[in-house]
Amino acid sequence: MNNLGYNSKVFLAPMAGITDKPMRSLVASFGEGVIISEMVAVNALQWKNPKTYKIADVRDEKYPVIVQLVGGDAKLFGDAVKLVEQLGAHAIDINMGCPVKKIVNNQSGSYLMKDLKLASQIIDEAIKSTKLKVSVKFRAGWDKQHINAVEFAKMCEEHGASHITIHGRTRSEFYSGAADWNIIRQVKENVKIPVIGNGDITSPEIAQERINQTGVDGIMIARGILGAPWLIAQTHNFLEKGILPIQPSIQEIKQTLLKHIQNLIDYYGENMALQISRKYVCWYCKAMRDAKRFRETYMHITEYPKAYDAINRYFDACATPSGE
Ligand SMILES: Cc1cc2nc3c(=O)[nH]c(=O)nc-3n(C[C@H](O)[C@H](O)[C@H](O)COP(=O)(O)O)c2cc1C
């Protein structure tokens, strides 16, 4: 167990609409790594929104899941943490980094980087209402003129956060440009609680470089797992055991895609699963031959047996050297 309290220092990032149960169980099937849910809105939990309940319910998952909460009303966090604790959360993370307008306008996500008082009240309310560990994820600051990650990190530490995660971009950058790992290093140098760095990690080697460069206790990967759900386990194996990553074969990628679709069907039912699977198909085959043509065909498929056949035909053809 490391100083973060887990067997791994590699964290799957929370991604709304992506790190749902089908994705989490797929990522976990490849090996070790720490798993986080998509963000769960505390006000929707309060209204007992069934869709939100479903997202927050991690009771039947076989690995520990950190459930991420997002909201801007400190009073709602007490009930929210109690509820997600009942729904199987292993620990709680609070989203103070989401840049989306709808979230920010609700005094939540990265808005909280401008309002440290409200941010600290939210942390206090969460911590006093649960026995679970409470961590916070935030950004470098609101914009380039207001980089306050170090001050924000100290506030989180003073108020009892178990660890913090910093995405090295400002709110106004959204996802553009390169993440600033210098600010992540500065945060690490200024607090005693464990620090996780996040931003632009797309390979185990880059993860190792960022750890060497900043001394962070863990790293978190988001977009790098799209079409590559094995990346979390691969990075863990590289960092912990020095095992060099081997890129999966086309047949292995096909099996992973089919397993992902099966997980989606088990969770959402066939209709919705096939619609959701369209974005994943694009990611799994982005570097493959004739991918554009295949994606266009796949977009119109509405039944699983047809999807299964089309995937098999396409991947099997790609696995055969062209000209044969
Ligand atoms: C589609 C998408 C959804 C995201 N949803 C969340 C979320 O629910 N909570 C959160 O804290 N961050 C969310 N993020 C931000 C990521 O967790 C991460 O901080 C960011 O993508 C930078 O990491 P990366 O460079 O590895 O992608 C999301 C990012 C993407 C691309």
Side-chain angles (χ1 to χ4, degrees):
M1 186 116 36
N2 57 30
N3 63 341
L4 286 151
Y6 293 96
N7 292 331
S8 180
K9 59 173 83 143
V10 183
F11 284 60
L12 169 67
M15 278 187 281
I18 306 276
T19 51
D20 51 9
K21 184 181 167 202
M23 176 64 98
R24 296 195 293 268
S25 60
L26 186 67
V27 167
S29 72
F30 285 98
E32 287 191 84
V34 185
I35 305 288
I36 312 186
S37 75
E38 333 169 53
M39 62 180 167
V40 178
V42 293
N43 48 358
L45 275 182
Q46 178 209 22
W47 300 324
K48 308 218 180 326
N49 177 322
K51 202 173 147 213
T52 310
Y53 255 67
K54 189 173 173 180
I55 295 176
D57 188 353
V58 298
R59 278 173 295 185
D60 66 348
E61 293 183 47
K62 295 183 187 72
Y63 34 82
V65 182
I66 302 174
V67 172
Q68 191 189 58
L69 295 176
V70 66
D73 183 346
K75 289 193 296 296
L76 297 182
F77 272 80
D79 285 344
V81 294
K82 285 186 192 123
L83 186 60
V84 293
E85 190 175 338
Q86 281 166 18
L87 293 176
H90 174 81
I92 289 159
D93 187 66
I94 306 178
N95 180 337
M96 298 198 180
C98 181
V100 174
K101 216 173 183 176
K102 199 174 85 182
I103 299 284
V104 167
N105 287 348
N106 202 20
Q107 297 201 325
S108 44
S110 55
Y111 165 86
L112 292 164
M113 294 207 69
K114 295 200 291 190
D115 190 341
L116 272 71
K117 185 156 179 256
L118 177 56
S120 66
Q121 286 166 351
I122 287 175
I123 299 171
D124 290 346
E125 191 62 36
I127 288 181
K128 78 169 195 229
S129 312
T130 178
K131 61 178 187 323
L132 302 181
K133 286 191 291 191
V134 175
S135 56
V136 183
K137 179 169 179 281
F138 54 93
R139 288 188 170 229
W142 180 257
D143 57 26
K144 286 274 185 226
Q145 287 69 47
H146 300 89
I147 304 272
N148 63 343
V150 172
E151 184 194 359
F152 201 82
K154 286 182 177 166
M155 179 279 291
C156 293
E157 177 168 62
E158 272 163 30
H159 286 265
S162 58
H163 73 257
I164 47 178
T165 304
I166 302 113
H167 172 198
R169 285 188 178 82
T170 63
R171 186 269 171 175
S172 48
E173 287 174 304
F174 279 72
Y175 297 96
S176 67
D180 175 3
W181 280 79
N182 278 326
I183 187 73
I184 297 174
R185 182 177 48 74
Q186 286 170 36
V187 168
K188 173 63 195 161
E189 286 167 0
N190 279 282
V191 291
K192 292 192 186 67
I193 51 172
V195 174
I196 297 177
N198 167 239
D200 303 340
I201 294 179
T202 50
S203 72
E205 292 88 345
I206 295 177
Q208 183 69 71
E209 271 176 42
R210 295 294 174 251
I211 290 173
N212 296 347
Q213 174 191 346
T214 60
V216 286
D217 305 276
I219 52 102
M220 181 180 275
I221 309 179
R223 290 165 298 170
I225 65 129
L226 301 174
W230 47 81
L231 183 61
I232 298 291
Q234 256 187 4
T235 305
H236 171 88
N237 290 338
F238 183 70
L239 297 179
E240 300 296 333
K241 303 170 203 161
I243 299 174
L244 289 171
I246 301 171
Q247 279 324 302
S249 66
I250 288 178
Q251 288 299 338
E252 285 166 334
I253 298 174
K254 177 181 90 177
Q255 292 309 332
T256 303
L257 170 58
L258 289 172
K259 173 80 180 121
H260 198 162
I261 296 174
Q262 191 56 56
N263 287 359
L264 289 166
I265 292 172
D266 294 345
Y267 189 69
Y268 293 109
E270 183 174 336
N271 256 339
M272 204 171 153
L274 284 178
Q275 281 178 39
I276 295 171
S277 73
R278 291 174 188 163
K279 65 184 175 205
Y280 290 114
V281 164
C282 295
W283 283 315
Y284 281 105
C285 64
K286 64 176 178 269
M288 286 165 55
R289 207 161 77 203
D290 281 337
K292 190 161 177 270
R293 194 139 44 102
F294 173 62
R295 286 197 304 262
E296 277 160 13
T297 310
Y298 192 86
M299 291 306 133
H300 299 102
I301 296 177
T302 53
E303 290 157 46
Y304 179 63
K306 289 188 180 152
Y308 181 86
D309 281 350
I311 290 169
N312 271 300
R313 257 184 284 117
Y314 172 68
F315 278 78
D316 292 353
C318 287
T320 313
S322 51
E324 282 183 24

